[in-house]
Amino acid sequence: MRDAYIIGAGQTPFGAMPEESYRSLFTAAYEEAADSVPDGFDDADVDEAVVGSLGVGGRQLGLSGPAATEHAGLHGIPSSRVENACAASGYAVRQAVQAVKSGMADVALGGGVELMTDMSSDVTKYWLGVSGETEWERLTGTTFSGVYAQMASAYMDEYEATPEHLSMVAVKNHENGAKNPKAHLGFECSLEDAVDAPVVADPLNLYHCCPTSDGAAAVLVASEDVVSEYTDDPIRVAGVGAASERVGLFQRDTYTAISSSETAAESAYDQADIEPAELDFAEVHDCFAIAELLAYEDLGFCDRGEAPQLLEEGRTELGGDLPVNASGGLKSKGHPIGATGAGQIAEAFKQLSGKAGDRQVEDANVGLTHNVGGSGGGAVVHILEREVAR
């Protein structure tokens, strides 16, 4: 198989954008991705496109891929939609990479879009809930905050973790998000703020939960045969791993790990031929604060039960051994479901290109992105590396 490279990536701001549509948001993300290609890019260069979206609110559930890409000016190409809950656009980028590696495309577009803030909270909860196990979770009233609260409770029972550790995740990610002009909640918060916030689903409070956001992201992937036409400083897709798990939390062997994340990471590390210790930064799926702690362990950053210690030691802060969620993560940057995974890759592209501004990770050469669907029913991990000029 051929090597695949990220040659451009872009995203809209994440937040409440009532004046936008899913078409306009996707077009804006694609145009930024095209503009970020160092040596220029033409719409006609795209051979295939894959768009990730849950379709919140029932917007154009059929043919939403072509609806978005045709509006962006990408005419006549194969265009399809991927739905894998919150991991939709992570999988969309994975499919773009597969198209390039297989030889079916020289340049493929993977991205995602979601519009979530123009509905009532009850309607939004319904659309979030469709990604949970239907019969025994969603239809019995369980929310995603309730599912992750169960995971948090189990984790704190099993290991030396407290609600304050959850709040430390929020403080770190808000500090990073305050440096990101595209973050939905781009402000800092104190530990006291994060500890004393109103309870959402005990032990999770408001500061332990990400917002629902509008937004889009797009990633351009090129083959080794054509990458030199676009850049002399390519970002290689060194490894991709994906896996599934039982959708319902009650169906699993443990509440304190997400096996799909672990399996996806193992596959990505094996493909990239690296160890977790070789990473320079990571963007992980912190839809709830407990999800970031689980990710530290599922992705091999530390042993089981050691995530709180990793956090306490500051090792995942900007300037630490392994900065995690320099973008602000889902907690501060925001979580437009269908756009989140591609947005993580857009952030990694910025970091590896040295263009992340005040949140730039020093000497960033290898990065990981981790995108989870629902409470772990699906997960996808990308490992990207900066190559020296050819």
Side-chain angles (χ1 to χ4, degrees), residues 200-227:
V200 173
D202 190 47
L204 301 179
N205 69 34
L206 185 63
Y207 270 88
H208 303 153
C209 309
C210 73
T212 55
S213 312
D214 305 329
V219 178
L220 290 165
V221 185
S223 75
E224 63 181 59
D225 297 333
V226 301
V227 66

Side-chain angles (χ1 to χ4, degrees), residues 26 48-56 60-66 68-69 79-98 109-114 131 242 336-342 371 373 378 380 382:
F26 187 81
E48 183 166 343
V50 187
V51 180
S53 178
L54 183 64
V56 168
Q60 196 57 47
L61 288 175
L63 295 175
S64 55
T69 56
S79 179
S80 57
R81 169 189 173 224
V82 171
E83 185 283 297
N84 230 10
C86 316
S89 63
Y91 272 82
V93 174
R94 176 177 179 264
Q95 288 193 200
V97 170
Q98 288 177 322
L109 169 65
V113 62
E114 213 74 68
S131 301
I337 291 179
T340 290
N371 190 199
V380 58
H382 290 81

Side-chain angles (χ1 to χ4, degrees), residues 228-311:
S228 61
E229 298 174 19
Y230 301 103
T231 179
D232 294 324
D233 195 15
I235 307 299
R236 188 169 78 96
V237 182
V240 183
S244 60
E245 164 63 297
R246 292 179 182 270
V247 174
L249 185 62
F250 72 95
Q251 299 169 307
R252 302 179 194 168
D253 294 332
T254 179
Y255 282 21
T256 60
I258 295 177
S259 68
S260 57
S261 294
E262 186 174 16
T263 302
E266 288 172 353
S267 297
Y269 290 136
D270 183 62
Q271 193 177 116
D273 194 25
I274 68 166
E275 300 292 331
E278 297 176 69
L279 297 171
D280 296 316
F281 67 91
E283 289 286 313
V284 309
H285 197 94
D286 62 319
C287 48
F288 299 91
I290 183 61
E292 179 162 328
L293 295 181
L294 296 180
Y296 292 174
E297 299 173 11
D298 295 333
L299 301 173
F301 302 165
C302 62
D303 291 334
R304 294 291 172 191
E306 293 184 359
Q309 181 181 346
L310 201 69
L311 193 64

Side-chain angles (χ1 to χ4, degrees), residues 17-91:
M17 290 173 278
E19 72 283 1
E20 300 290 351
S21 70
Y22 75 94
R23 287 182 171 98
S24 66
L25 286 168
F26 187 81
T27 296
Y30 165 69
E31 289 176 347
E32 182 174 295
D35 288 345
S36 73
V37 178
D39 294 339
F41 190 79
D42 190 276
D43 294 348
D45 294 346
V46 179
D47 298 316
E48 183 166 343
V50 187
V51 180
S53 178
L54 183 64
V56 168
R59 293 179 181 83
Q60 196 57 47
L61 288 175
L63 295 175
S64 55
T69 56
E70 283 286 333
H71 186 77
L74 303 174
H75 303 307
I77 62 171
S79 179
S80 57
R81 169 189 173 224
V82 171
E83 185 283 297
N84 230 10
C86 316
S89 63
Y91 272 82

Side-chain angles (χ1 to χ4, degrees), residues 125 128-129 132 137 141-153 166 198-206 208-210 249 287-290 374-375:
K125 279 190 291 187
L128 289 169
E137 287 184 349
T142 303
T143 62
F144 268 122
S145 56
V147 169
Y148 276 93
Q150 293 176 63
M151 299 166 83
S153 295
L166 303 178
V199 172
V200 173
D202 190 47
L204 301 179
N205 69 34
L206 185 63
H208 303 153
C209 309
C210 73
L249 185 62
C287 48
F288 299 91
I290 183 61
S375 60

